[in-house]
Amino acid sequence: MSEPFLIGDGMTGGYGKGPDILHDCTIAVDKGEIAVIVGPNGAGKSTGMKAVFGMLNLNKGSVRLDGEDITKLSPQDRVAKGMGFVPQTHNIFTSMTVEENLEMGAFIRTDDFYETIEQVYELFPILGDKRNQPAGELSGGQRQQVAVGRALMTKPTVLMLDEPTAGVSPIVMDELFDRIIEVARTGISILMVEQNARQALEIADKGYVLVQGANRFTDTGQALLADPEVRKSFLGG
Amino acid sequence: MDILNAFIALANFVLIPAISYGSQLALGALGVTLIYGILRFSNFAHGDTMAFGAMCTILVTWLFQSWGISFGPLPTALLALPFGILGAIAMLLATDRVIYKFYREQKAKPVIFLIVSLGVMFVMNGVVRFIIGPDDQRFSDGARFIMKARDFKQMTGLSEGLAFKTSQGITIVTAVVVVALLFWFLNKTRTGKSMRAYSDNEDLALLSGINPERVVTITWIIVAALATIAGVLYGLDKGFKPFTYFQLLLPIFASAIVGGLGNPLGAIAGGFVIAFSEVTITYAFKKVLGYLMPEGLEPSSLVQLLSTDYKFAVSFTILIIVLLFRPTGLFKGKSL
Amino acid sequence: MTLNAKNIALFAIIGVIFILTGFAKGPNAALYLLNLGLISAILALGVNLQWGLAGLLNVGVMGFVALGALATVLISMPPTVEAMAAGGLRVVVALITGALVIIATVMTSKRMKPGKKRTFTILGLLIGGFFLYRFLFDPAVAAIEAVNPAGTGYLGGLGLPVLVAWPVGGLLAAGAAWVIGKTALGLRSDYLAVATLGIAEIIIAVLKNEDWLSRGVKNVVGIPRPVPYEVDLQASDTFIANAASLGFDNPVVASTIFVKLCYTGLFLTVLVILMWLSQKALNSPWGRMMRAIRDNEVAAEAMGKDVTKRHLQIFVLGSAICGVAGAMWATMDSTLIPTSYNPLRFTFLIWVMVIIGGSGNNWGAILGGFSILLLWDWGEQLGLWMMQALTFPLAEGVWLKDHLIHNAPHMRLLMIGVVLLLILRFSPRGLIPEE
């Protein structure tokens, strides 16, 4: 098996000088695929993804993007390398308009990014309609679209989403998942942490079930959904 | 005719002075609010920054005057202003590098920054007094009036005169230009937008690749320009004395808080609210009412709500009312 | 305070500088400075209570000091009987009316439902109340100020012993602090700073303008003393004899020193009492709770502590101490000079004392009070020396040299600022850190 496009390999580490939260945890995603991290509360799901993005100190293990070792890079440098990250909260500039949010997403780009903005509007038509409204005035689902759109502005090869559906209604959640699939179809790899495990695994090419900072089950989304043990322990039967 | 006279008296003694004072306060409050929005602390050295910038301008003005350079009917200080701004920029960037940067890297609490700014205030205050002394300094030249009260009376035939000082005209025009430039910068340029983004959500701004040190540097540069312009305009209008600039801290902070700390639009609105209240409440309305009231009912007293010495009380009372009923200010500022 | 070598040395250095001051400027000047140092230490204790123990930013120390000073006038000056007859009652009625209007407004805003009706009632009350107040107040003031304006022109005081004014000054300051605290506490910490900055300016404006109360810029001089007068001592044979037996041949010098020593004794007593109380408070459960609140307000609130109420308590207490110190200061100078109050000297310098001494440590506050006062007092001289050294190579009469030497006294603001910045940077916990 060839090396996946992005892999956090055998990661062990924690925040600052605190105790280790992750224990030999491996998370990977291939080109154009959707990988989903699920697990119980406090399992280290978000931490695992933040480790891939360089937001905590790794004592062991490495992170490689397209074969290149990026373990030592800061999150900002990883953005420049083509990784996009959408935090779970505070992920938009509330006082700025939708379009300004997208412009800020493209801050590190020196070329003309208006084409990318148009692409984001195509993907999320509602944002095009509300481009001149302050992002803070939008609904929860629309805010998440702004957040994703902002991260897409660097034309990333990998998009990482931290619980994108937290706090939105089921209908909005379905719509968001549809959009995420569309993003993946454009060739962008998606790594996502999700609380709504069942729905997320349904769209996932690959699923990681983490427990206490370590891999418990790893398989395709469909296989995990079918696995009776996973269903019993993590999907509520 | 009486109504017209009343209006002219009101314009002469209340409207024009309040508009120019409001412009000065607004420029000062913009500086405070920008620092608050970007560096996240209340800068108690702002009054002294204004004094420092104004002092630099005055020194260059004197130099120009000694060389015989003048600006026709306009004050020479306007020619010297860019040099004053440069001086203030140098001062603020130096204090940032030598003093504030250390605490930024430590991620110190805002209250520590505030106390550090007290130290900076002492130093700047000392520097200004040391260089130019604690006394009043005159530096305005050129024509004193755009419109003299007597000329106005002759022109219109009204018994009330309307005087319009050059310094007031310059204040209003400059303030409009500066504010327009600032808002253009903040809303239309990439750098300006990145400053707003940083003020709005620091973590996300970092994630987007915005360089915080650059944002901070540009903020200090803008603040230096705003403070110097505010200081020079105030000095042209009312005379330069270091201690008055320190005392301006209260109405300036009141303006920024009333408008909503961190909100530039709020700072401007706050400046005018404070200025109009101060001037209106401390103005003796006897003359205006004399024109308006029917004969025999003219007021015998001055009809002055508060003596001018209580103008601080006015900004303070407005501040308290806003704090009680709307702590985030008229325009929503940062509450934390 | 741990009695280690460093702390003892620090206090010893201050002591030595005082003795040197005595040699340089004479015993009278040194004793005056010592008395002022005691007052500064008390002020620093008050501010340390607020900042060190509770993390509250009181930038209005000047106002509370001035209120204390006003108390000495109101308590100890002889009453101006004529003025009281002319308008005393009316002023009191006016003030009570004003207070009632404000109380009524507060009640209305609490009792009535929000809406237009409430807004208009409040506005009506305030505007009507204001004119009623001015109708009562203005003629009374005019009448009072017309009574012998060159000599009195104000109501005067109650003619009580001046020592009574010290606690009363504390009470006045506490009252003002309560009003400010009620509005600004519980909001952002900088709001309290701006609010206190404002109240201080207003208090000074009142002292400068309300001639009927404080004689305004005409000043009140000759506030009665709690200690003997020099002239009386010089006329007393027993005093001269006693002084001579101690080796003081010059009764003038002896009497001035004796008077200052009396003040020293009084101030020291107050400082010792306040220090004892402060130390008790610091180490009591109450003090521990305060520090817990300061260090983690959210946690303390979650544990059911009423943070705002505790803050109000300590804010009022600290301000009261400032008021007492203000009354002591005015007593020592025997004058009330409203124009002499300047926030750099009366507010921010006290802050520097607390921070340099060691926020949260009462001994640190005392050390800071003495040391910064000395620096302030010697600052002009130091600045002058520095400038003389700096301009030594320049010839006499060069413009730059004259300017530098002439403006050297302003160096002391700069010096204080630099010292504060250095301490904050390299020893942020101060000379005697909190334990």
Side-chain angles (χ1 to χ4, degrees):
Chain A
M1 202 180 118
S2 69
E3 163 113 347
F5 182 65
L6 170 69
I7 181 164
D9 200 358
M11 299 181 295
T12 300
Y15 294 101
K17 287 186 177 118
D20 284 351
I21 298 170
L22 296 177
H23 307 283
D24 193 22
C25 174
T26 298
I27 294 164
V29 60
D30 241 320
K31 263 230 146 84
E33 276 191 354
I34 299 178
V36 174
I37 308 172
V38 296
N41 278 335
K45 303 186 295 284
S46 291
T47 312
M49 188 156 80
K50 284 177 182 163
V52 174
F53 193 56
M55 289 166 89
L56 66 162
N57 303 330
L58 288 187
N59 300 327
K60 260 188 254 157
S62 63
V63 182
R64 293 186 298 279
L65 179 70
D66 204 7
E68 185 188 349
D69 190 331
I70 57 168
T71 318
K72 293 274 182 294
L73 293 186
S74 70
Q76 281 84 353
D77 292 335
R78 292 181 204 219
V79 171
K81 289 272 178 199
M83 295 171 78
F85 180 69
V86 181
Q88 184 182 346
T89 53
H90 303 291
N91 51 19
I92 55 168
F93 299 111
T94 49
S95 64
M96 304 177 83
T97 65
V98 170
E99 186 143 323
E100 284 172 338
N101 265 276
L102 298 182
E103 285 175 37
M104 285 302 109
F107 193 78
I108 54 169
R109 284 176 61 175
T110 46
D111 55 336
D112 185 23
F113 50 78
Y114 279 90
E115 206 174 303
T116 321
I117 290 190
E118 286 312 317
Q119 284 166 5
V120 170
Y121 289 155
E122 268 170 45
L123 192 62
F124 303 115
I126 188 75
L127 300 189
D129 300 341
K130 305 204 163 184
R131 63 178 77 186
N132 291 323
Q133 261 190 39
E137 290 175 3
L138 303 183
S139 71
Q142 291 165 353
R143 282 162 170 245
Q144 289 298 27
Q145 296 183 19
V146 176
V148 174
R150 189 203 62 83
L152 286 174
M153 287 305 295
T154 48
K155 287 209 228 162
T157 49
V158 183
L159 185 62
M160 318 214 313
L161 306 165
D162 194 351
E163 301 204 20
T165 64
V168 302
S169 69
I171 301 168
V172 175
M173 181 173 78
D174 286 346
E175 200 197 324
L176 271 175
F177 280 152
D178 287 345
R179 302 283 178 234
I180 290 168
I181 296 171
E182 273 181 56
V183 174
R185 290 216 181 105
T186 63
I188 298 176
S189 315
I190 305 239
L191 180 60
M192 169 162 87
V193 169
E194 258 301 332
Q195 201 63 260
N196 302 300
R198 184 186 296 271
Q199 292 87 336
L201 287 175
E202 268 166 17
I203 65 163
D205 295 297
K206 207 166 203 183
Y208 293 88
V209 180
L210 298 194
V211 175
Q212 294 187 336
N215 297 85
R216 174 65 67 84
F217 301 100
T218 306
D219 212 327
T220 63
Q222 293 305 323
L224 285 176
L225 280 171
D227 186 326
E229 204 177 335
V230 174
R231 290 175 67 121
K232 196 166 127 258
S233 313
F234 304 109
L235 302 175
Chain B
M1 212 47 158
D2 275 353
I3 292 180
L4 209 55
N5 271 322
F7 176 74
I8 297 299
L10 195 68
N12 193 23
F13 294 108
V14 176
L15 296 183
I16 294 177
I19 290 174
S20 59
Y21 180 45
S23 310
Q24 291 149 10
L25 283 186
L27 290 175
L30 272 174
V32 165
T33 226
L34 276 180
I35 302 234
Y36 189 84
I38 305 284
L39 289 123
R40 297 170 213 284
F41 72 96
S42 305
N43 182 13
F44 269 66
H46 197 75
D48 288 292
T49 310
M50 282 166 60
F52 183 82
M55 178 195 73
C56 293
T57 312
I58 291 172
L59 294 179
V60 177
T61 307
W62 286 344
L63 187 70
F64 282 177
Q65 285 170 345
S66 73
W67 288 346
I69 299 175
S70 83
F71 202 7
L74 296 175
T76 317
L78 284 188
L79 286 179
L81 187 58
F83 299 95
I85 292 176
L86 284 179
I89 289 175
M91 180 70 165
L92 287 190
L93 288 183
T95 45
D96 184 68
R97 291 295 174 273
V98 178
I99 299 160
Y100 293 117
K101 191 166 192 252
F102 172 80
Y103 299 94
R104 224 170 21 252
E105 282 165 0
Q106 303 256 306
K107 299 203 187 306
K109 283 192 278 181
V111 98
I112 300 294
F113 273 98
L114 198 162
I115 291 173
V116 172
S117 82
L118 291 183
V120 173
M121 175 193 86
F122 266 103
V123 172
M124 280 198 192
N125 205 309
V127 168
V128 170
R129 285 173 194 227
F130 183 67
I131 296 179
I132 205 165
D135 307 320
D136 274 309
Q137 305 291 345
R138 294 241 331 122
F139 64 105
S140 61
D141 50 8
R144 247 173 76 66
F145 287 97
I146 296 173
M147 162 97 70
K148 281 188 188 154
R150 193 152 36 90
D151 297 345
F152 181 85
K153 282 188 202 163
Q154 282 170 354
M155 233 163 62
T156 58
L158 289 170
S159 56
E160 261 319 302
L162 182 72
F164 194 40
K165 286 199 288 180
T166 316
S167 60
Q168 293 168 330
I170 290 173
T171 297
I172 296 166
V173 172
T174 317
V176 169
V177 171
V178 168
V179 167
L181 271 176
L182 180 72
F183 276 81
W184 169 81
F185 174 78
L186 287 177
N187 290 315
K188 297 291 172 204
T189 67
R190 199 172 97 101
T191 312
K193 285 178 193 174
S194 73
M195 279 174 59
R196 281 167 55 218
Y198 184 83
S199 159
D200 183 314
N201 187 335
E202 191 177 337
D203 292 329
L204 196 61
L206 295 179
L207 203 61
S208 307
I210 292 168
N211 177 358
E213 284 305 305
R214 200 177 113 87
V215 168
V216 166
T217 305
I218 291 168
T219 307
W220 282 120
I221 292 176
I222 295 173
V223 167
L226 286 171
T228 308
I229 294 170
V232 170
L233 293 178
Y234 187 87
L236 282 174
D237 201 14
K238 305 201 170 100
F240 174 87
K241 189 179 182 190
F243 189 62
T244 10
Y245 283 77
F246 171 80
Q247 287 187 313
L248 275 179
L249 211 52
L250 181 64
I252 283 177
F253 265 110
S255 306
I257 292 177
V258 166
L261 264 178
N263 185 324
L265 211 58
I268 296 169
F272 284 102
V273 167
I274 297 284
F276 268 87
S277 320
E278 268 192 21
V279 176
T280 313
I281 291 178
T282 54
Y283 173 66
F285 279 91
K286 181 178 183 181
K287 209 173 200 177
V288 175
L289 289 176
Y291 284 116
L292 291 180
M293 296 291 224
E295 210 140 318
L297 274 179
E298 292 99 341
S300 54
S301 67
L302 287 172
V303 202
Q304 183 186 19
L305 295 180
L306 276 178
S307 92
T308 32
D309 300 291
Y310 285 121
K311 57 180 193 220
F312 291 121
V314 178
S315 16
F316 181 74
T317 312
I318 296 173
L319 178 73
I320 291 290
I321 292 171
V322 168
L323 286 187
L324 281 177
F325 295 104
R326 216 188 155 100
T328 51
L330 299 175
F331 291 68
K332 206 167 162 269
K334 286 175 182 297
S335 54
L336 263 181
Chain C
M1 182 182 70
T2 38
L3 268 179
N4 59 24
K6 182 190 139 201
N7 293 346
I8 293 171
L10 284 170
F11 275 99
I13 292 172
I14 298 298
V16 169
I17 298 177
F18 265 111
I19 293 168
L20 288 179
T21 309
F23 281 115
K25 300 187 176 178
N28 260 312
L31 275 177
Y32 181 80
L33 203 59
L34 177 69
N35 290 343
L36 207 51
L38 290 168
I39 293 174
S40 303
I42 292 171
L43 280 169
L45 268 185
V47 173
N48 186 40
L49 200 62
Q50 296 172 334
W51 167 246
L53 202 52
L56 298 177
L57 277 168
N58 173 5
V59 192
V61 180
M62 170 178 80
F64 301 116
V65 170
L67 274 181
L70 178 65
T72 58
V73 171
L74 297 184
I75 293 297
S76 70
M77 287 304 282
T80 316
V81 182
E82 265 176 275
M84 286 201 176
L89 192 65
R90 193 163 177 158
V91 160
V92 172
V93 171
L95 289 178
I96 292 173
T97 312
L100 285 178
V101 168
I102 290 172
I103 292 171
T105 313
V106 173
M107 297 283 266
T108 329
S109 76
K110 276 193 180 153
R111 294 276 167 84
M112 282 176 76
K113 289 201 185 91
K116 272 198 181 140
K117 212 173 155 192
R118 186 177 83 164
T119 317
F120 283 119
T121 318
I122 290 180
L123 275 179
L125 259 173
L126 280 177
I127 295 171
F130 182 79
F131 281 105
L132 178 65
Y133 165 74
R134 288 292 292 264
F135 166 76
L136 288 168
F137 187 70
D138 290 359
V141 166
I144 292 169
E145 289 173 4
V147 176
N148 184 15
T152 51
Y154 77 129
L155 280 176
L158 299 175
L160 297 171
V162 72
L163 286 182
V164 178
W166 295 7
V168 172
L171 283 178
L172 277 183
W178 187 81
V179 174
I180 293 300
K182 259 305 200 198
T183 38
L185 284 171
L187 296 168
R188 303 173 28 83
S189 55
D190 333 30
Y191 284 3
L192 180 68
V194 177
T196 45
L197 185 74
I199 194 72
E201 292 294 342
I202 291 174
I203 290 170
I204 300 303
V206 168
L207 292 192
K208 278 185 195 164
N209 291 291
E210 301 303 317
D211 287 16
W212 61 272
L213 180 71
S214 62
R215 291 199 84 216
V217 290
K218 289 181 285 183
N219 306 334
V220 177
V221 293
I223 295 172
R225 283 182 179 181
V227 298
Y229 285 83
E230 287 89 345
V231 266
D232 297 340
L233 289 175
Q234 285 156 29
S236 146
D237 293 332
T238 35
F239 177 78
I240 294 173
N242 284 337
S245 69
L246 286 169
F248 285 99
D249 296 331
N250 185 341
V252 177
V253 174
S255 63
T256 49
I257 289 178
F258 179 76
V259 168
K260 290 202 170 62
L261 281 175
C262 289
Y263 277 120
T264 312
L266 280 172
F267 292 172
L268 198 60
T269 315
V270 176
L271 178 63
V272 167
I273 294 172
L274 286 176
M275 182 65 188
W276 183 74
L277 288 173
S278 302
Q279 284 296 84
K280 276 272 179 217
L282 188 70
N283 298 315
S284 67
W286 182 79
R288 279 194 292 279
M289 176 180 69
M290 283 298 178
R291 275 178 288 171
I293 292 176
R294 177 196 63 189
D295 294 337
N296 194 340
E297 223 167 271
V298 182
E301 205 142 40
M303 278 158 57
K305 308 281 181 215
D306 187 344
V307 171
T308 311
K309 206 172 162 186
R310 299 286 144 243
H311 276 173
L312 184 62
Q313 237 173 27
I314 206 158
F315 182 67
V316 168
L317 271 177
S319 303
I321 293 183
C322 294
V324 173
M328 291 161 60
W329 200 332
T331 307
M332 179 170 75
D333 290 344
S334 290
T335 47
L336 172 68
I337 307 176
T339 46
S340 69
Y341 291 99
N342 157 352
L344 283 174
R345 171 71 183 88
F346 286 81
T347 296
F348 295 111
L349 200 70
I350 312 300
W351 267 91
V352 177
M353 292 171 181
V354 172
I355 288 163
I356 286 181
S359 319
N361 189 315
N362 291 326
W363 291 102
I366 291 180
L367 180 76
F370 280 110
S371 54
I372 293 302
L373 181 73
L374 280 173
L375 182 62
W376 181 255
D377 189 66
W378 278 99
E380 291 191 354
Q381 189 62 47
L382 286 174
L384 190 62
W385 285 337
M386 222 186 294
M387 281 307 130
Q388 279 167 345
L390 203 68
T391 57
F392 184 70
L394 292 175
E396 273 319 309
V398 173
W399 164 83
L400 183 65
K401 181 165 184 163
D402 289 349
H403 177 84
L404 287 179
I405 288 184
H406 178 252
N407 278 352
H410 300 298
M411 283 293 286
R412 68 175 174 181
L413 285 170
L414 196 104
M415 245 184 284
I416 298 279
V418 169
V419 169
L420 176 63
L421 288 173
L422 286 177
I423 290 274
L424 279 171
R425 173 73 170 265
F426 297 107
S427 173
R429 301 182 62 219
L431 293 174
I432 307 182
E434 188 181 4
E435 280 136 30

